[in-house]
């Protein structure tokens, strides 16, 4: 289920172009944040790393192929009346091909085929060269320690729960990031509206001051009213500068969340107040039930409890003594070249 949710989030990411508009909607801001935010990308890599961990643990039960080749030459000086040469030269060659596999029950198997060639000048050997072949099947089954599917798949099952936890952590960070972007966006819209009202208030204060100046020149009002209007004008202007500062801070706060990586925004963009739609709120008991079931952090905690139980079963098994059942089945062959050899022939 978590993989489906994760896939839906990733598929929702699409390259957003703002070439034709300078209005940054809340939906576009969320898309940019979920697609390019560095912290969320790191969390996404954790999910991929957890997937690789599962593949690594599953690989422990794959068939392992081995191939080995060996060649040696031995020159032994001799002083014998029987051997006319000063050296006894022995050339040996061997090749081995093997397949091995470990099963989830703990059973270890190995099937090997070995071929050896021995060519020597010694008189003791009737075959020169001699060829030997071995085909062997080895079986080892633990009976106490390391026995059973639950014990031998401990790391694999923990890796799978780790992957689910990583997916839930990614989902949790995506939800948190979306919430932060939404709050920052709405904060920017509010700061923009407050700045507009501050400009309007300053303009009205300026009009009042200009009107009082004209009335003062006409002798209709005392100078005190002009000074009051001038003080109000200064206050409105100061309030406008503070609102402009808050607007800049709100804008930068939103940019810190969405303008990362390859995200591109137009030079001049404006936030727009999203449409407010009325949604039916669930009852308290229903909301609590949904929260306890769906919250990613609670799901992560439940998976961690499951991991501890899996590790406990493995630890208990490791206290048992080692007792293994071993069996080896094999056939071998011999052939070669010799005057009185019973096994005359090639491989």
């Amino acid at each position: 289920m978590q993989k489906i949710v994760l896939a839906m989030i990733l598929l929702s990411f699409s390259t957003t172009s703002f070439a034709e508009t300078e209005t940054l909607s809340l939906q576009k801001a969320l898309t940019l944040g979920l697609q390019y935010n560095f912290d969320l990308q790191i969390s996404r890599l954790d999910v991929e790393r957890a997937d690789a961990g599962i593949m690594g643990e599953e690989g422990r039960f794959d068939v392992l192929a081995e191939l080995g080749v060996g060649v040696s030459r031995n020159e032994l000086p001799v002083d014998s009346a029987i051997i006319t040469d000063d050296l006894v030269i022995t050339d040996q060659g061997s090749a081995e091909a093997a397949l091995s596999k470990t099963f989830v029950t703990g059973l270890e198997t190995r099937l090997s085929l070995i071929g050896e060639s021995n060519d020597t000048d010694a008189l003791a050997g009737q075959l020169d060269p001699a060829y030997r072949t071995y085909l062997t099947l080895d079986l080892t089954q633990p009976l106490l320690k390391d026995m059973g599917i639950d014990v031998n798949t401990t790391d694999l099952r923990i890796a799978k729960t780790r992957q689910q936890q990583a997916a839930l952590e990614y989902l949790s960070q995506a939800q948190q990031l979306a919430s932060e972007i939404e709050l920052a966006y709405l904060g920017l819209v509010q700061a923009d509206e407050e700045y507009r009202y501050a400009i309007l208030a300053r303009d009205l204060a300026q009009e009042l001051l200009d009107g009082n100046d004209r009335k003062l020149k006409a002798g209709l009002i005392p100078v005190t009213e002009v000074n009051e209007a001038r003080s109000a004008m200064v206050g409105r202007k100061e309030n406008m500068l503070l609102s402009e500062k808050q607007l800049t801070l709100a804008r930068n706060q939103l940019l810190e969340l969405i303008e990362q990586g390859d995200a591109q925004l137009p030079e001049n963009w404006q936030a727009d107040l999203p449409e407010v739609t009325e949604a039916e709120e669930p009852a308290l008991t229903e909301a609590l039930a949904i929260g306890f079931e769906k919250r990613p952090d609670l799901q992560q905690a439940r998976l961690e409890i499951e991991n501890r139980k899996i590790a406990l079963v493995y630890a208990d098994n490791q206290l048992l003594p080692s007792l293994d059942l071993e069996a080896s089945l094999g056939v071998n062959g011999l052939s070669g070249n010799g005057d009185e050899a019973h096994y005359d022939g090639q491989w």
Side-chain angles (χ1 to χ4, degrees):
M1 180 61 184
Q2 301 301 331
K3 291 185 177 180
I4 296 176
V5 175
L6 180 61
M8 292 177 62
I9 294 178
L10 294 177
L11 290 175
S12 66
F13 295 160
S14 58
T15 304
T16 307
S17 175
F18 300 97
E20 299 179 356
T21 179
E22 293 186 352
T23 299
L24 178 65
S25 66
L26 176 58
Q27 181 179 0
K28 292 177 180 178
L30 290 171
T31 301
L32 284 176
L34 294 175
Q35 186 174 3
Y36 295 110
N37 185 270
F38 288 142
D39 292 334
L40 196 59
Q41 291 185 42
I42 293 175
S43 182
R44 195 183 311 160
L45 293 176
D46 290 338
V47 178
E48 296 178 3
R49 183 175 61 180
D51 290 335
I54 294 177
M55 294 180 59
E57 293 300 330
E58 290 176 341
R60 294 178 55 243
F61 303 103
D62 291 340
V63 177
L64 176 63
E66 304 174 57
L67 181 62
V69 177
V71 177
S72 66
R73 181 182 180 88
N74 183 30
E75 297 182 357
L76 180 65
V78 295
D79 183 10
S80 173
I82 300 177
I83 301 176
T84 58
D85 295 333
D86 295 334
L87 296 175
V88 173
I89 300 176
T90 302
D91 292 323
Q92 293 181 329
S94 64
E96 179 181 7
L99 296 176
S100 58
K101 177 176 174 58
T102 300
F103 293 87
V104 294
T105 59
L107 175 65
E108 296 182 359
T109 61
R110 188 174 191 272
L111 179 64
S112 61
L113 176 63
I114 303 174
E116 296 179 351
S117 171
N118 192 333
D119 185 1
T120 180
D121 294 338
L123 298 178
Q126 293 184 353
L127 298 179
D128 187 21
Y131 304 102
R132 290 187 178 274
T133 304
Y134 307 90
L135 179 63
T136 307
L137 174 62
D138 297 317
L139 304 172
T140 302
Q141 173 61 57
L143 298 180
L144 293 176
K145 184 179 179 180
D146 296 330
M147 175 184 177
I149 297 177
D150 291 342
V151 174
N152 289 279
T153 59
T154 295
D155 293 337
L156 176 58
R157 289 187 292 156
I158 290 179
K160 289 182 178 180
T161 55
R162 293 297 185 202
Q163 190 275 343
Q164 296 177 14
Q165 287 179 310
L168 288 169
E169 178 62 24
Y170 172 77
L171 180 61
S172 177
Q173 289 194 18
Q175 292 176 347
Q176 181 65 27
L177 177 62
S179 177
E180 293 177 0
I181 291 175
E182 184 175 1
L183 290 176
Y185 188 91
L186 296 178
L188 176 59
V189 172
Q190 180 180 356
D192 185 61
E193 292 295 325
E194 291 178 354
Y195 179 61
R196 293 180 184 180
Y197 283 121
I199 293 176
L200 180 60
R202 182 207 59 182
D203 295 340
L204 293 175
Q206 183 65 49
E207 291 180 6
L208 178 61
L209 177 59
D210 294 341
N212 286 349
D213 282 337
R214 291 192 297 269
K215 292 179 181 179
L216 177 63
K217 292 178 181 180
L220 299 177
I221 59 174
V223 69
T224 54
E225 293 190 16
V226 175
N227 292 334
E228 291 176 359
R230 183 173 288 107
S231 298
M233 169 61 185
V234 173
R236 299 293 187 275
K237 187 174 183 179
E238 181 180 359
N239 186 53
M240 183 200 70
L241 294 176
L242 291 175
S243 298
E244 184 180 9
K245 179 181 178 181
Q246 293 298 324
L247 177 62
T248 302
L249 292 175
R251 191 181 185 92
N252 291 336
Q253 183 179 1
L254 179 60
L255 288 176
E256 288 178 0
L257 297 173
I258 65 175
E259 194 176 30
Q260 299 184 10
D262 296 330
Q264 296 181 355
L265 292 172
E267 295 182 0
N268 299 317
W269 57 270
Q270 297 293 331
D272 189 18
L273 183 65
E275 297 182 2
V276 179
T277 58
E278 295 184 0
E280 182 179 355
E281 297 183 358
L284 178 59
T285 55
E286 182 182 356
L288 289 174
I290 295 175
F292 284 129
E293 181 183 0
K294 299 295 185 180
R295 277 181 64 102
D297 53 345
L298 294 180
Q299 295 185 60
Q300 286 179 276
R302 284 192 285 267
L303 288 173
E304 185 61 30
I305 294 175
E306 183 178 345
N307 277 344
R308 300 294 178 88
K309 292 180 179 179
I310 294 174
L312 181 60
V313 171
Y314 177 80
D316 288 339
N317 177 265
Q318 296 304 296
L319 296 176
L320 299 176
S322 296
L323 178 62
D324 299 340
L325 175 64
E326 297 184 358
S328 181
L329 307 175
V331 294
N332 61 82
L334 172 65
S335 66
N337 296 322
D339 296 335
E340 300 180 358
H342 299 288
Y343 303 100
D344 187 36
Q346 299 299 318
W347 286 94

